[in-house]
Amino acid sequence: MFDRFRSRLELSGWLTAETAFRIGAGRSTEVVGTDLPVVRDALGRPYIPGSSFKGVLRSRLESLVRAVSNNRKVVCNPAESEEWCITAQDMQEFKERVREVDARQRDEVLTERIISESCLLCLTFGSPWLASKVLVRDLLVDESLWFGQFQIRDGVAIDRDTETAAEGKLYDYEVVPAGTRFGVRLLMENGEPWQWGMLFIGLKEFEHGYVPIGGSKSRGLGWVRLNWEERKLFLLDGEEGEARLEKLIRFLDGEGFEDVGDQMVRTWIEAFKKKLAKAAGQVMV
Ligand SMILES: [Zn+2]
């Protein structure tokens, strides 16, 4: 890959549970305690795996983009290998074709091909052939508000044959209570304006509290709301020579970022709309 560092978008804030939620850790094998515990960090506190948050964000954006175009070159289905924007067979063909290219340029030509054939979601969140530009840290609980207040709820096991409550088959499950909050830290490296716009559209759904996380959503669990604390962007583009090196060194010290204001976000969302319209238009003709 010929990736050169160009920019980093850094977002941080809080995700607050508005209802109880549960991200299950699987069935407990403990004799005492709950049948279905939630995931815990090494210190026994609840947390939200960064991969879970990113997965919910991606699938939310997939369904939004699918409302405009269902073509796999615009938004593919990562759950079905036959419906990926670049299938394993496509990849095989690309590789065979680049054999004709001069050996020194093969990787570059292949990379360009992958980028031009990937859907908008894979270009941003990664695919089997492309690294993700979005990194989400594990969301750790706000320690100032957490004192071990897990809650246990009763569930009723459903008999799969009769679809009625199976008599005597009670189980309990653990939840993290409403009001618990978690630190969010999200990075996008080397994104383009349309990708920042897409990211903010997806995150807006969390800001408005429209996206539930975790399991047992039918029981009303999982409603969360996102609030920003800091949104900042570091851009290396536009600088040359010594000034560029100077800026890079400041970046390594955590300096040289600019605050991301609402106007910038609006411009990026416009860039995303244009990109989506273009991508959807290209595959229609
Ligand atoms: Zn894709």
Side-chain angles (χ1 to χ4, degrees), residues 58 72 76 85 119 122:
R58 179 176 183 151
R72 74 181 171 115
C76 75
C85 46
C119 75
C122 287

PDB file of all heavy atoms in Angstrom, residues 58 72 76 85 119 122, ligand 1:
ATOM      1  N   ARG A  58     -21.408   1.522  11.134  1.00  0.00           N
ATOM      2  CA  ARG A  58     -21.302   1.103   9.736  1.00  0.00           C
ATOM      3  C   ARG A  58     -22.640   0.599   9.213  1.00  0.00           C
ATOM      4  O   ARG A  58     -23.074   0.979   8.125  1.00  0.00           O
ATOM      5  CB  ARG A  58     -20.241   0.012   9.580  1.00  0.00           C
ATOM      6  CG  ARG A  58     -20.137  -0.456   8.131  1.00  0.00           C
ATOM      7  CD  ARG A  58     -19.034  -1.479   7.904  1.00  0.00           C
ATOM      8  NE  ARG A  58     -18.978  -1.796   6.476  1.00  0.00           N
ATOM      9  CZ  ARG A  58     -17.888  -2.173   5.831  1.00  0.00           C
ATOM     10  NH1 ARG A  58     -16.764  -2.305   6.470  1.00  0.00           N
ATOM     11  NH2 ARG A  58     -17.927  -2.428   4.550  1.00  0.00           N
ATOM     12  N   ARG A  72     -24.005  -2.848  -5.402  1.00  0.00           N
ATOM     13  CA  ARG A  72     -22.902  -3.277  -4.522  1.00  0.00           C
ATOM     14  C   ARG A  72     -21.630  -2.442  -4.710  1.00  0.00           C
ATOM     15  O   ARG A  72     -20.726  -2.474  -3.887  1.00  0.00           O
ATOM     16  CB  ARG A  72     -22.602  -4.767  -4.700  1.00  0.00           C
ATOM     17  CG  ARG A  72     -21.895  -5.119  -5.984  1.00  0.00           C
ATOM     18  CD  ARG A  72     -21.637  -6.617  -6.116  1.00  0.00           C
ATOM     19  NE  ARG A  72     -21.148  -6.889  -7.456  1.00  0.00           N
ATOM     20  CZ  ARG A  72     -19.931  -7.344  -7.727  1.00  0.00           C
ATOM     21  NH1 ARG A  72     -19.089  -7.620  -6.765  1.00  0.00           N
ATOM     22  NH2 ARG A  72     -19.560  -7.539  -8.972  1.00  0.00           N
ATOM     23  N   CYS A  76     -22.021  -2.300  -0.430  1.00  0.00           N
ATOM     24  CA  CYS A  76     -22.117  -3.753  -0.575  1.00  0.00           C
ATOM     25  C   CYS A  76     -22.624  -4.376   0.720  1.00  0.00           C
ATOM     26  O   CYS A  76     -22.886  -3.691   1.708  1.00  0.00           O
ATOM     27  CB  CYS A  76     -20.784  -4.346  -1.021  1.00  0.00           C
ATOM     28  SG  CYS A  76     -19.535  -4.417   0.269  1.00  0.00           S
ATOM     29  N   CYS A  85     -18.427  -5.702  -2.645  1.00  0.00           N
ATOM     30  CA  CYS A  85     -18.140  -4.864  -3.818  1.00  0.00           C
ATOM     31  C   CYS A  85     -17.002  -5.469  -4.644  1.00  0.00           C
ATOM     32  O   CYS A  85     -16.995  -5.385  -5.865  1.00  0.00           O
ATOM     33  CB  CYS A  85     -17.844  -3.431  -3.401  1.00  0.00           C
ATOM     34  SG  CYS A  85     -16.702  -3.270  -2.019  1.00  0.00           S
ATOM     35  N   CYS A 119     -16.824  -0.082  -2.666  1.00  0.00           N
ATOM     36  CA  CYS A 119     -18.003   0.745  -2.368  1.00  0.00           C
ATOM     37  C   CYS A 119     -17.629   1.836  -1.357  1.00  0.00           C
ATOM     38  O   CYS A 119     -16.560   1.793  -0.748  1.00  0.00           O
ATOM     39  CB  CYS A 119     -19.152  -0.126  -1.859  1.00  0.00           C
ATOM     40  SG  CYS A 119     -18.975  -0.696  -0.163  1.00  0.00           S
ATOM     41  N   CYS A 122     -16.857   0.398   2.192  1.00  0.00           N
ATOM     42  CA  CYS A 122     -15.575  -0.317   2.324  1.00  0.00           C
ATOM     43  C   CYS A 122     -14.400   0.651   2.241  1.00  0.00           C
ATOM     44  O   CYS A 122     -13.400   0.479   2.933  1.00  0.00           O
ATOM     45  CB  CYS A 122     -15.444  -1.398   1.258  1.00  0.00           C
ATOM     46  SG  CYS A 122     -16.508  -2.825   1.581  1.00  0.00           S
TER      47      CYS A 122
HETATM   48 ZN    ZN B   1     -18.006  -2.767  -0.138  1.00  0.00          ZN
END
